[in-house]
Amino acid sequence: MTAHQPIVAPVFPDEALAAMAALYPVKAGRLGHSLGDHPLLTLEALATLGERLPAAQVEYNPGDIPIGIRPEDIPSNGLSIGETIRTIDANRSWAVLKNIESEPKYRALLMDLLSELEAVVAPRTGAMLTPQGFIFISSPGSITPFHFDPEHNILLQLRGMKVMHVWPAGDERFASRVEHERYHTGGHRNLPWDDAFRDGAQQVPLAPGDAVLMPVMAPHFVANGDAPSISLSITWRSEWSYRESEAHAANAALRRLGFDPAMPPRWPRHARAKTLGWRVLRRLRLVA
């Protein structure tokens, strides 16, 4: 496997860190980066990585699918992960390699990048917990369906162009509290889509050298441009993000008992009583 190439100059310039400081942790926005070409992120290196990763860390399917599609309705593209990545120019597919930090050289790259962000992150949301990396490889015109994710996330565009369509996190017009509860008790990340949502989107165009900061649980979908795309997503969790997850899980338990709990408060407020109660119940094994 290609050796890890140490980062000798900052990937995130001062202007990117200043922009991030103005946004983090609640707003989405475009940043810059200078990662450029990297031997661990070529198509062949990624195809080899995909073939080596366990099946649970690989997801791929046709890329020309609806914005709002149920997970069970997503078809197979009929290829292996290696074939999908090597022929991404022409096979009209989409792929993601998950938890690349399980591979030592990719973990080293991930940690190098996250270390540049710590001075912005730590004063606002504390320690950067559970670092994870994801790599997205997309054919021209591919769509990543409407969904949300539990991590703080910066996506770096490396090849090709795409547009990130983002909606405000915690706004029940786009993702109801019931959808949050479903996800935080084991449900899929995809969300129900309504074409009326389009008017509420923040659109963030991305070209190589661009990055986008994505808030925790901000609904979004991604539309790829007319060339193949490679993107690297570097993510981390915080005590706050874990507390928010636990508050939604606690609400799901209350809903099963017949209550209609309110949406948990978002940053910088904490649903402290609810999350502490959830942790006690988990320890007592009174909830799953």
Side-chain angles (χ1 to χ4, degrees):
M1 178 179 173
T2 305
H4 170 56
Q5 176 178 299
I7 296 174
V8 296
V11 167
F12 297 103
D14 290 343
E15 312 88 82
L17 297 178
M20 181 179 174
L23 297 166
Y24 184 78
V26 294
K27 296 179 180 178
R30 186 161 53 187
L31 312 175
H33 74 85
S34 60
L35 184 58
D37 294 332
H38 193 286
L40 291 177
L41 301 171
T42 66
L43 278 180
E44 182 55 37
L46 297 177
T48 301
L49 174 63
E51 290 168 337
R52 189 168 57 251
L53 289 175
Q57 289 177 230
V58 172
E59 183 179 347
Y60 59 103
N61 50 251
D64 50 350
I65 56 177
I67 295 169
I69 186 170
R70 298 185 305 172
E72 60 270 26
D73 293 337
I74 297 175
S76 167
N77 69 355
L79 304 173
S80 70
I81 183 59
E83 291 169 330
T84 296
I85 294 173
R86 290 187 178 96
T87 62
I88 200 69
D89 290 28
N91 61 29
R92 302 173 66 186
S93 295
W94 170 92
V96 57
L97 308 180
K98 306 176 184 179
N99 299 113
I100 60 170
E101 70 281 355
S102 64
E103 294 282 323
K105 294 180 178 64
Y106 286 89
R107 180 176 180 83
L109 174 61
L110 171 66
M111 299 309 293
D112 284 349
L113 295 172
L114 291 180
S115 68
E116 295 188 25
L117 308 175
E118 189 172 7
V120 175
V121 171
R124 292 165 174 80
T125 55
M128 301 174 80
L129 308 175
T130 322
Q132 295 178 314
F134 305 84
I135 300 172
F136 299 89
I137 307 102
S138 309
S139 292
S142 294
I143 293 291
T144 304
F146 188 53
H147 69 284
F148 51 21
D149 301 297
E151 305 93 359
H152 304 278
N153 177 14
I154 293 179
L155 184 139
L156 293 79
Q157 188 67 14
L158 304 173
R159 174 181 172 183
M161 301 181 70
K162 61 176 53 171
V163 178
M164 184 79 72
H165 299 74
V166 191
W167 286 260
D171 189 326
E172 288 202 75
R173 292 176 298 170
F174 310 113
S176 72
R177 70 193 77 172
V178 173
E179 290 298 326
H180 284 265
E181 293 163 17
R182 177 191 57 77
Y183 173 78
H184 288 294
T185 51
H188 197 273
R189 65 181 181 271
N190 284 10
L191 292 166
W193 171 254
D194 188 321
D195 280 336
F197 292 169
R198 285 186 182 274
D199 291 340
Q202 174 186 355
Q203 295 187 23
V204 185
L206 299 172
D210 291 330
V212 59
L213 174 67
M214 290 291 296
V216 170
M217 303 306 287
H220 60 283
F221 78 84
V222 188
N224 202 42
D226 58 4
S229 169
I230 300 176
S231 307
L232 169 64
S233 183
I234 60 173
T235 78
W236 64 97
R237 298 294 298 268
S238 63
E239 177 65 16
W240 163 61
S241 77
Y242 279 120
R243 283 188 176 181
E244 184 177 66
S245 296
E246 291 165 343
H248 285 297
N251 277 359
L254 291 172
R255 194 172 303 282
R256 289 194 296 270
L257 295 174
F259 296 96
D260 183 20
M263 189 82 160
R266 300 211 83 228
W267 177 264
R269 297 167 59 215
H270 299 281
R272 185 174 179 82
K274 189 170 288 183
T275 58
L276 289 178
W278 177 253
R279 292 179 183 184
V280 169
L281 292 175
R282 287 290 296 269
R283 290 193 188 101
L284 295 175
R285 299 184 179 181
L286 297 178
V287 294

